[in-house]
């Protein structure tokens, strides 16, 4: 098995929205904001090469949206999904499975692209199965008013229309060395991949833990639909992660790719940060 970090881009979000009820004087210690109260965030994906499978977990914001939409998110940096794949010797056509932790636009926007004459959409990974789950798919295609702006139809419906959509039916093993945990605080049935790699467990944290700054339990995003559920899910997961020395792959942390956590007198806290290459 080989693992590759895939950078798809960087954007900015309001610090208050990212840390909910936590005061700025506290969260700004780890995630300083600019004069508009915006903090920079990564959109970091993970590529898993295992036998005949090439699995891509999430794929960033894509490039289908117009300038008016994108201006809200201050896209920056010189990386892209396709160039990151190319850096490791792959093309989108090589990907066999696209695993979508959830269908918010910054996680699945790269799934679908314009066709050549921009008259419609086509799959960015034409040879891949796209994995979601029934409960989350229903939530995304019939969204509540709170999440409607995050579930963009052009990112989602073409997957089903193309015949590429497949559902994960339950928690547990999906592929060799690859299992999933379902969590419901951020959005319904978000899936958190666990990868067994060289006797280690690497967990792709998606929006259960966006950054090291979110490790203390009260640090829950304002975007979460059920913050008290997140509080419980995160607490249970971090206990397990500390006990088993899980490696946490951080999708949105602008400063650290991976971390471990440990038990302290104040609860579970950060232990170490490092790059993915440090463990390969």
């Amino acid at each position: 098995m080989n693992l590759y970090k895939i950078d798809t881009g960087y954007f900015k979000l309001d610090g208050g929205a990212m840390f909910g009820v936590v005061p700025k004087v506290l969260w700004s210690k780890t995630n300083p904001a600019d004069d508009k109260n915006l903090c920079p965030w990564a959109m970091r994906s993970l590529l898993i090469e295992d036998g005949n499978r090439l699995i891509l977990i999430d794929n960033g914001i894509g490039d289908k949206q117009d300038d008016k939409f994108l201006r809200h998110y201050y896209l920056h940096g010189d990386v892209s999904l396709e160039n990151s794949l190319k850096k490791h010797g792959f093309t989108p056509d090589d990907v066999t499975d696209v695993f979508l932790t959830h269908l918010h636009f910054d996680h699945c926007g790269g799934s679908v692209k314009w066709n050549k004459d921009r008259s419609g959409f086509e799959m960015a990974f034409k040879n891949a199965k796209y994995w979601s789950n029934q409960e989350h798919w229903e939530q995304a295609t019939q969204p509540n008013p709170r999440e409607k702006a995050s579930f963009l139809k052009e990112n989602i419906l073409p997957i089903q229309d193309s015949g590429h959509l497949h559902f994960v039916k339950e928690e547990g093993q999906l592929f060799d060395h690859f299992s999933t945990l379902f969590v419901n605080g951020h959005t319904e049935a978000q899936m958190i991949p666990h990868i067994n790699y060289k006797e280690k467990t690497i967990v792709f944290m998606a929006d259960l833990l966006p950054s090291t700054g979110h490790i203390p339990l009260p640090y829950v995003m304002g975007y979460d639909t059920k913050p008290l559920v997140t509080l419980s899910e995160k607490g249970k997961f971090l206990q397990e992660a500390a006990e088993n020395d899980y490696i946490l792959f951080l999708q949105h942390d602008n400063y650290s790719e991976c971390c471990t956590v440990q038990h302290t007198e104040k609860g579970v806290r950060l232990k170490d940060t490092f790059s993915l290459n440090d463990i390969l």
Side-chain angles (χ1 to χ4, degrees):
M1 178 189 287
N2 297 308
L3 304 179
Y4 309 93
K5 177 193 69 165
I6 301 296
D7 290 315
T8 73
Y10 299 87
F11 66 153
K12 292 184 179 183
L13 295 172
D14 183 83
M18 285 299 289
F19 289 96
V21 300
V22 177
K24 181 178 180 179
V25 69
L26 297 178
W27 58 253
S28 60
K29 293 177 181 178
T30 57
N31 293 82
D34 65 16
D35 58 359
K36 296 181 180 179
N37 209 47
L38 298 170
C39 302
W41 304 95
M43 290 180 284
R44 186 178 294 121
S45 295
L46 184 64
L47 187 68
I48 304 165
E49 183 183 25
D50 193 12
N52 293 326
R53 286 191 184 275
L54 190 64
I55 307 163
L56 179 65
I57 304 176
D58 285 354
N59 49 52
I61 203 168
D63 59 4
K64 296 186 302 303
Q65 269 52 59
D66 60 25
D67 289 341
K68 181 180 178 181
F69 177 90
L70 295 175
R71 276 199 303 269
H72 290 297
Y73 299 102
Y74 300 88
L75 297 182
H76 58 281
D78 57 359
V79 298
S80 70
L81 171 60
E82 192 159 344
N83 285 341
S84 292
L85 288 170
K86 184 178 180 180
K87 175 182 174 182
H88 298 297
F90 301 107
T91 72
D93 292 353
D94 296 323
V95 175
T96 62
D97 298 271
V98 176
F99 183 91
L100 300 169
T101 62
H102 60 299
L103 296 167
H104 287 167
F105 67 85
D106 56 315
H107 294 257
C108 75
S111 298
V112 176
K113 65 181 183 179
W114 286 107
N115 60 16
K116 286 185 179 180
D117 61 7
R118 296 180 72 87
S119 62
F121 300 111
E122 62 186 27
M123 293 299 97
F125 305 93
K126 67 181 184 182
N127 298 317
K129 295 179 178 179
Y130 286 63
W131 296 91
S132 182
N133 65 73
Q134 182 79 51
E135 184 177 2
H136 184 68
W137 185 264
E138 291 177 0
Q139 178 81 6
T141 54
Q142 304 172 57
N144 59 62
R146 183 184 175 95
E147 290 184 279
K148 188 175 182 179
S150 293
F151 290 129
L152 305 181
K153 291 181 179 180
E154 60 268 32
N155 287 338
I156 299 170
L157 296 182
I159 301 173
Q160 185 175 50
D161 294 342
S162 69
H164 285 247
L165 178 64
H166 295 261
F167 286 144
V168 179
K169 292 186 169 35
E170 60 187 5
E171 286 187 322
Q173 185 170 337
L174 179 62
F175 310 122
D176 290 343
H177 316 295
F178 185 114
S179 61
T180 63
L181 169 71
F182 282 42
V183 291
N184 299 288
H186 178 61
T187 186
E188 292 296 324
Q190 178 184 198
M191 299 187 291
I192 306 298
H194 289 51
I195 300 103
N196 295 325
Y197 175 79
K198 294 183 178 179
E199 300 183 349
K200 301 181 179 73
T201 298
I202 300 174
V203 185
F204 187 93
M205 293 310 306
D207 282 343
L208 177 61
L209 190 77
S211 73
T212 60
H214 289 86
I215 291 172
L217 289 184
Y219 289 58
V220 172
M221 289 190 291
Y223 297 113
D224 288 15
T225 60
K226 301 174 185 175
L228 294 182
V229 173
T230 295
L231 196 73
S232 174
E233 291 171 339
K234 187 172 73 168
K236 180 179 178 181
F237 172 81
L238 288 175
Q239 290 287 330
E240 183 179 325
E243 289 168 8
N244 294 284
D245 205 29
Y246 288 170
I247 294 167
L248 311 185
F249 184 90
L250 302 166
Q251 185 167 19
H252 286 312
D253 196 306
N254 191 61
Y255 309 104
S256 301
E257 293 175 14
C258 301
C259 76
T260 51
V261 293
Q262 62 186 343
H263 292 290
T264 74
E265 293 180 355
K266 294 182 178 181
V268 175
R269 291 293 186 270
L270 180 66
K271 182 179 179 182
D272 293 310
T273 60
F274 42 90
S275 72
L276 181 66
N277 283 339
D278 290 337
I279 62 170
L280 299 181

